[in-house]
Amino acid sequence: RKSVVRITTGSQALDELLGGGIETLCITEAFGEFRSGKTQLAHTLCVSTQLPIHMHGGNGKVAYIDTEGTFRPERIVPIAERFGMDPNAVLDNIIYARAYTYEHQYNLLLGLAAKMAEEPFRLLIVDSVIALFRVDFSGRGELAERQQKLAQMLSRLTKIAEEFNVAVYITNQVIADPGGGMFITDPKKPAGGHVLAHAATIRLMLRKGKGEQRVCKIFDAPNLPEGEAVFQVTSGGIMD
Ligand code: GTP
Ligand code: MG
């Protein structure tokens, strides 16, 4: 029996909202508009996952699948320094892959699973999980096929989380109304629709606050508190 490991987000307020951090053995989906901090949280988790357990880390390596080309290794450096870690050692423990099609994304997962069988990983990131599906299944008549392929991808992610005791962190951009700050997409059905909503065990709704402030609310989780956490995006990553 595997026991859950909770990995710090870098923000105590956000960790408290999450009951300690993001959890292994399940999927955490961050959804929100552009610049709401989804990718910055991914960068912070790349580092914090490598912290020892007693420092609220996961003591493990990170696999990063990037579908939009927004991973910045140079951003890892100040984040590692903030946590008192050697940036080069931290970068060495991030296995990075750029995916170009949804099929490529799926095949990368299979390859990473094989790697996880041999080395101690504690986090898998897919940023963004849905961008390539939007491109590869853009036609109206392709929605059913897209949902089926997306379900397959999410089921693979769930298997990886459970088999290797890793946290899976996926991002999903939803479009906000520039006028009212409301979601155009029904927040109950962000881009992935019901398929995505089902597989993700914990769903974080992120939005912009003032300046560098970001606000996180847990969406639709009866066993977690209803409140919000406010955190900052800084050069040292996510913090209070
Ligand atoms: P999309 O991928 O476009 O949907 O957005 P996202 O939710 O992934 O946003 P992301 O995590 O990329 O957040 C971008 C925000 O982080 C912007 O407001 C940047 O200004 C801010 N940011 C990125 N790097 C730094 C940094 O080094 N210092 C500070 N202070 N802010 C940063
Ligand atoms: Mg992003």
Side-chain angles (χ1 to χ4, degrees), residues 36 52 83 87 92 186 195 198 230:
S36 58
F83 284 105
D92 280 347
D186 179 351
V195 179
H198 221 81
V230 179

Side-chain angles (χ1 to χ4, degrees), residues 47 72-82 85 87-88 91:
V47 179
R72 295 284 174 274
E74 65 272 19
R75 288 287 296 110
I76 296 298
V77 175
I79 301 173
E81 284 166 349
R82 170 229 171 156
M85 301 172 88
N88 289 321
L91 282 165

Side-chain angles (χ1 to χ4, degrees), residues 187-202:
K188 282 181 187 141
K189 302 173 202 163
H194 286 308
V195 179
L196 202 51
H198 221 81
T201 313
I202 297 185

Side-chain angles (χ1 to χ4, degrees), residues 9 21-22 24 184 201 204 226:
T9 61
I22 74 152
T24 61
I184 286 171
T201 313
L204 309 180
E226 277 229 2

Side-chain angles (χ1 to χ4, degrees), residues 137-190:
F137 300 98
S138 53
R140 268 189 146 273
E142 293 176 304
L143 188 62
E145 194 187 352
R146 183 182 98 164
Q147 295 306 85
Q148 189 232 322
K149 298 288 186 196
L150 186 56
Q152 192 181 32
M153 182 86 62
L154 291 164
S155 129
R156 175 59 56 184
L157 289 170
T158 304
K159 279 197 188 110
I160 290 175
E162 288 171 357
E163 186 171 355
F164 303 109
N165 195 7
V166 299
V168 174
Y169 174 79
I170 62 179
T171 69
N172 176 14
Q173 192 195 65
V174 295
I175 301 144
D177 171 11
M182 296 286 293
F183 292 110
I184 286 171
T185 352
D186 179 351
K188 282 181 187 141
K189 302 173 202 163

Side-chain angles (χ1 to χ4, degrees), residues 38-39 68 70 127:
K38 305 180 293 292
T39 299
E68 298 181 302
T70 53
D127 182 22

